[in-house]
Amino acid sequence: MNLANPAEASNRIQEKPRGSGKAAKSILIGLGVAFILIMLVLPLITVCVYALKQGWEVFSGAITDPYAIKALQLTLLATVVAVVCNTIFGLFASWAISKFHFRGKQFLTTLIDIPFAISPIIAGLVFILVFGRIGWAYDFLQAYDLKVVFAVPGIILATIFVTFPFVARELIPLMQAQGNDEEEAAALMGANWWTIYRKVTLPHIKWGLLYGVILCTARALGEFGAVSVVSGHLRGKTNTLPLHIEILFNEFQLTAAFAVSSILVVTAIIILILRNIVEFKGRKEESEHVR
Amino acid sequence: MYVELKDVNKEFKGFRALNDVSFSIEKGKLVGLLGPSGSGKTTILRTLAGLVHPDSGDIWIDGKRVNDVPASKRGIGFVFQNYALFRYMTVFDNVAFGLTVEKKDKKFIKQRVNELINLVGLEGLQDRYPHQLSGGQRQRVAFARALAPNPHLLLLDEPFAAIDAKIRKELRLWLRETINSLGITSIFVTHDQDEAVEVADEIVIVNGGRIEQKGNPADIYKSPATPFAARFIGESLVLDRHETLHGFETYSGYDQAVIRPELIQITKHGKQPILHASEDGIVEDVFFRGSLIEVHVNVKGMRLIGHRSPEEEPLLPGEKVSVLIYRLYLYNEDKVHLAENVRLKDENTVFI
C-alpha cells in the first residue's frame, strides 16, 4: 500500500466501517458504555448518594467519628510505610534485574510476582503462621515484647506484602528497554554508580516510578483481605478504613458505612486523575526522548 | 608500539569470540577493524576499552599493561554504535559529562566544551536534546563527548552504521580529517570495506575471532594474505574451475580462484587484439550503475562480472564478447597466490 499521503491513508481507514460496519460500531460502543455505567459508575454514585441520604449531619458525624479518624490514620500510616518500602525495594530490584546478569534472575523475577498470584487472605494467614501464637517466631517476639499479629506492625507487613510488586513491575520493563549503553558510556568516563543512577537512569524511569508509586498507594489504601486476617478488628487500634467500613456495614449502620466509603471513593478518584496525568506526561516525554 | 594486543582470548558461554588475537598499532594512526558481523571486531574494541575482560593474553596501551586497569582509568574515549548519548541531557551537558565527573573547574569545563562544540561544528545547538538532532549531528556530539576528557586513544564502534548513506560519505571524510588534525590514535570498527579503505590508514581484517591480515588498504587490496581476505575485499567472485580458462591452465593444485571486476576486460567480439589470451563469452546481463556499466558474462559455464565505461559501445544480453582475464587470486586452504595470465606474459605485451 502506498502511504505517501498520510491524510489519504487515514481516510481510507476511517472509511472502512460504513454500512453494516457502522451498526456494529455503535452496538459495540453502546455495550461498552452500558457495561461501564452498570459496573462502575452506578455503584460509585450509589455510594455517594447513600452516604448523604440522611443529610449532611449524619455524613459528617460518620466521618468525624473518632474510630473512623483512627482508622483513617492507621490506613495512611500503613500506606506510607508500604509505599516507601516497596519503592526502595522496587528501585533496587529493577536495577539488579535489568542491569546485571546473575544466576537465578528469572527465579527472582517470578518471586516478585507472587503477591499478584496469591490471594490476599493467604498472605494474611502466612503472617499469622509465622508471627502469631502458633507461629515459629512467636517465642522470639514474646521475649522482646514485640507484637506483630493483631497489632499495627502486622497490618503494615500485610500491606507491604500485598503491594510488593507494583513499583518493581513498573520499572523492570522500562529499564530493560533502555539498555545499558548510556550507563556504560557514563561508567567509561569515570562516573560512579550514584552519579550514573542519578543522572542517567533516574531521569529515564521517573514517570514510570511515579506511576508505580501511585498504583501502589491505591492498592495499599484499599487493601482488605490480608489486613483483615492479621488485624483482629480492634476498634481504634488495629482497624483500617476498609475494616471499619465492614464493621459499620455488619452493624447495619449503612449510611455511616457509605459515608466512610465515600472517603475511599474520593481518594480513589483523585489517584485515578493523578495516574492519568502521570501516564500522559510520561508517554509524551518518552515519545520525545526515545527515538 | 602504542597499542598492542598479545594472544588475547575470550570465550562467551562456549563461543570463541577472540582466538589468539595479536596486533599492534603505531601512535597517531587511524586503524579500521574490518570484518563480517559476528567476527569479533567489536569484542576486540570492547576489550581494549576494558568493557570486556579477556580470558588470557595481554593488552598494552602506551607502554603499560592495562589488563587490570579499570575502563575509566585507561584514558580512552569511546564512541558507541548508537552513540549512547544521554537522552535527558542537553548537547552541552553530554559533552561536559566526562569533565564534570572529573570535577574540573566550571570555567574550564565551559571553555573546553565550547571548544569541542566548535570543533565538531555544532555551534548554537548546545541547548538541544539528542532527540532534536539528526543522525549526523548525534554522531558529532558522541565524538565531542568522547574527546572532552582528552583521551589518548579513541575507539569508535561502527561510527557510521546509524547514518543514512548520503551523509555517511561526507562524515567519513570529516571524521578522517578531524582525527588526523588532532593526531589522536584511533581505532574504529566497521563491516563496510569501502568505509575502511576510505577512512583508515591501516586495516585489520578480522574473521571468526582471528586476525586475518593487517596492512595499509592498498596492500590488502593488491595482495590479500589469506583466502578469507581475498574473498572479503573487493567485489570478489569465487570460481571453481579456473584451470579451464585461457592463460591459467598451468596453475594447478589450488582449490578455488577469486576474481574481481577490475581484473577483467570485456570487449565486443572481434575487437580484442590479444585474442589468444582471451576467452569467448556470452553476455547474460547488463546493469547501469551510473559511473560504470556492470556486465555479467558467461564463460565456459562460469559467470564473470566485469565493468565497462558508459562511453564505450553498449553491449546487449545474448551478445558474443571477448573476455580477457589479467589476473586471478588462486587459493587453497590457507595459501593465496596471485596468478598472472601466462599467455599475456609470453607475448610481452604492454597492454595493462
Side-chain angles (χ1 to χ4, degrees):
Chain A
M1 191 164 68
N2 178 20
L3 285 177
N5 184 350
E8 197 179 305
S10 69
N11 274 345
R12 206 172 301 148
I13 289 160
Q14 272 175 5
E15 263 169 20
K16 241 186 169 178
R18 281 266 160 85
S20 68
K22 207 172 182 183
K25 186 177 156 190
S26 347
I27 289 171
L28 281 175
I29 290 174
L31 275 175
V33 170
F35 187 79
I36 287 170
L37 277 178
I38 294 167
M39 298 301 294
L40 296 173
V41 180
L42 201 65
L44 287 182
I45 292 172
T46 316
V47 169
C48 297
V49 168
Y50 219 105
L52 292 164
K53 203 179 179 185
Q54 291 174 20
W56 178 254
E57 306 269 287
V58 180
F59 176 81
S60 67
I63 62 170
T64 52
D65 175 71
Y67 287 136
I69 288 175
K70 270 271 174 199
L72 178 63
Q73 281 169 347
L74 183 59
T75 300
L76 289 180
L77 174 72
T79 302
V80 168
V81 176
V83 167
V84 169
C85 284
N86 288 334
T87 303
I88 292 169
F89 165 78
L91 287 173
F92 281 106
S94 58
W95 200 30
I97 287 170
S98 58
K99 307 292 176 187
F100 298 98
H101 295 285
F102 56 89
R103 216 176 259 268
K105 186 157 117 172
Q106 199 56 48
F107 185 61
L108 180 66
T109 321
T110 315
L111 274 187
I112 291 174
D113 281 342
I114 280 187
F116 275 162
I118 286 184
S119 159
I121 203 147
I122 295 168
L125 287 174
V126 165
F127 282 110
I128 299 243
L129 284 177
V130 175
F131 300 112
R133 196 170 282 276
I134 45 167
W136 51 261
Y138 185 71
D139 294 335
F140 172 81
L141 294 171
Q142 211 48 11
Y144 290 92
D145 202 23
L146 292 170
K147 232 173 146 359
V148 174
V149 169
F150 306 135
V152 176
I155 289 169
I156 292 175
L157 279 179
T159 312
I160 291 176
F161 181 91
V162 171
T163 56
F164 192 62
F166 283 97
V167 176
R169 266 283 139 224
E170 206 54 52
L171 295 184
I172 290 167
L174 251 183
M175 289 174 77
Q176 276 172 342
Q178 188 193 17
N180 295 339
D181 281 6
E182 287 174 53
E183 273 96 346
E184 227 168 35
L188 209 56
M189 285 187 264
N192 59 27
W193 72 270
W194 175 235
T195 312
I196 296 176
Y197 198 73
R198 221 163 19 104
K199 295 237 176 125
V200 179
T201 313
L202 213 52
H204 184 73
I205 59 169
K206 65 174 184 240
W207 292 111
L209 177 64
L210 213 56
Y211 187 68
V213 166
I214 287 173
L215 287 183
C216 188
T217 310
R219 185 76 173 83
L221 280 175
E223 175 49 25
F224 178 79
V227 168
S228 173
V229 178
V230 293
S231 137
H233 301 262
L234 306 173
R235 273 195 178 187
K237 274 193 180 153
T238 61
N239 238 5
T240 62
L241 218 49
L243 299 180
H244 183 65
I245 294 166
E246 191 208 12
I247 290 175
L248 289 175
F249 185 78
N250 286 344
E251 289 170 352
F252 301 105
Q253 300 188 41
L254 290 190
T255 314
F258 281 113
V260 178
S261 300
S262 67
I263 300 176
L264 284 178
V265 169
V266 170
T267 38
I269 289 170
I270 292 170
I271 286 170
L272 212 65
I273 293 169
L274 277 179
R275 197 204 80 139
N276 275 333
I277 294 171
V278 166
E279 200 177 31
F280 174 74
K281 286 216 161 179
R283 255 206 219 130
K284 200 173 135 202
E285 192 155 295
E286 192 172 334
S287 68
E288 271 175 9
H289 288 273
V290 185
R291 267 196 294 178
Chain B
M1 283 296 154
Y2 194 67
V3 176
E4 196 160 3
L5 272 80
K6 265 189 203 151
D7 303 324
V8 173
N9 284 290
K10 178 70 192 177
E11 211 178 283
F12 292 118
K13 286 179 191 156
F15 171 69
R16 197 86 186 264
L18 299 183
N19 198 344
D20 280 334
V21 169
S22 303
F23 68 92
S24 53
I25 289 163
E26 282 167 56
K27 195 176 168 95
K29 282 267 174 2
L30 174 50
V31 177
L33 291 177
L34 174 64
S37 56
S39 60
K41 51 195 194 308
T42 296
T43 310
I44 294 178
L45 205 70
R46 292 173 70 86
T47 310
L48 272 169
L51 295 169
V52 167
H53 298 283
D55 299 333
S56 65
D58 301 316
I59 306 156
W60 297 77
I61 297 175
D62 200 9
K64 241 176 43 192
R65 187 176 177 273
V66 296
N67 285 46
D68 303 317
V69 179
S72 59
K73 298 272 188 296
R74 291 191 187 182
I76 283 171
F78 200 103
V79 176
F80 285 81
Q81 182 167 4
N82 299 309
Y83 314 135
L85 295 178
F86 306 128
R87 54 191 115 170
Y88 293 92
M89 290 184 207
T90 59
V91 168
F92 185 95
D93 290 337
N94 262 284
V95 178
F97 190 84
L99 301 170
T100 320
V101 165
E102 286 173 11
K103 300 213 163 60
K104 286 272 175 3
D105 175 53
K106 273 226 173 92
K107 236 174 101 189
F108 170 79
I109 293 179
K110 199 163 178 207
Q111 188 206 329
R112 174 86 179 130
V113 172
N114 283 329
E115 189 185 306
L116 281 162
I117 286 177
N118 289 342
L119 173 78
V120 300
L122 292 176
E123 300 93 340
L125 301 180
Q126 282 95 326
D127 298 328
R128 295 260 187 108
Y129 284 92
H131 71 267
Q132 296 167 317
L133 301 175
S134 71
Q137 288 169 333
R138 281 184 220 183
Q139 196 215 30
R140 286 160 189 248
V141 176
F143 186 67
R145 184 179 72 176
L147 286 177
N150 243 326
H152 36 254
L153 177 62
L154 184 66
L155 305 177
L156 306 104
D157 189 4
E158 296 271 6
F160 307 101
I163 294 172
D164 31 319
K166 237 185 168 178
I167 316 164
R168 208 179 293 171
K169 273 212 139 170
E170 195 182 301
L171 267 174
R172 279 183 203 161
L173 284 175
W174 174 81
L175 195 75
R176 187 189 162 82
E177 278 166 20
T178 317
I179 287 177
N180 281 340
S181 70
L182 291 169
I184 182 172
T185 314
S186 307
I187 304 174
F188 71 98
V189 155
T190 181
H191 62 269
D192 181 344
Q193 48 165 312
D194 291 344
E195 202 169 289
V197 168
E198 201 178 313
V199 179
D201 301 326
E202 242 175 19
I203 293 177
V204 178
I205 297 184
V206 188
N207 180 42
R210 289 171 181 281
I211 304 295
E212 295 273 340
Q213 189 174 4
K214 175 177 168 274
N216 73 48
D219 283 348
I220 286 187
Y221 214 84
K222 250 190 266 159
S223 41
T226 64
F228 175 80
R231 269 172 291 152
F232 190 67
I233 294 289
E235 276 178 67
S236 300
L237 206 66
V238 177
L239 307 176
D240 44 12
R241 283 181 287 115
H242 62 272
E243 316 94 77
T244 59
L245 293 168
H246 286 171
F248 298 93
E249 297 91 339
T250 53
Y251 296 102
S252 56
Y254 293 96
D255 298 341
Q256 283 179 318
V258 163
I259 191 161
R260 299 197 193 124
E262 65 269 22
L263 305 178
I264 305 175
Q265 189 195 38
I266 300 171
T267 26
K268 284 223 167 210
H269 196 62
K271 297 217 172 155
Q272 176 55 264
I274 326 167
L275 251 186
H276 72 287
S278 54
E279 289 279 353
D280 285 344
I282 305 287
V283 176
E284 282 184 338
D285 266 313
V286 179
F287 299 97
F288 180 62
R289 297 264 186 253
S291 55
L292 54 85
I293 288 168
E294 187 180 307
V295 185
H296 293 202
V297 201
N298 189 329
V299 175
K300 294 185 171 153
M302 286 179 277
R303 192 168 63 166
L304 304 182
I305 297 173
H307 291 162
R308 269 169 74 86
S309 159
E311 299 298 316
E312 289 172 285
E313 221 178 315
L315 297 175
L316 295 169
E319 196 175 331
K320 211 172 160 194
V321 287
S322 294
V323 179
L324 176 63
I325 301 166
Y326 300 118
R327 255 172 278 148
L328 287 176
Y329 294 103
L330 300 173
Y331 65 87
N332 45 29
E333 246 166 72
D334 56 347
K335 276 216 181 88
V336 184
H337 178 73
L338 178 66
E340 302 275 353
N341 188 327
V342 271
R343 298 197 186 190
L344 270 177
K345 254 194 242 168
D346 291 350
E347 279 300 297
N348 229 349
T349 341
V350 195
F351 191 77
I352 310 166

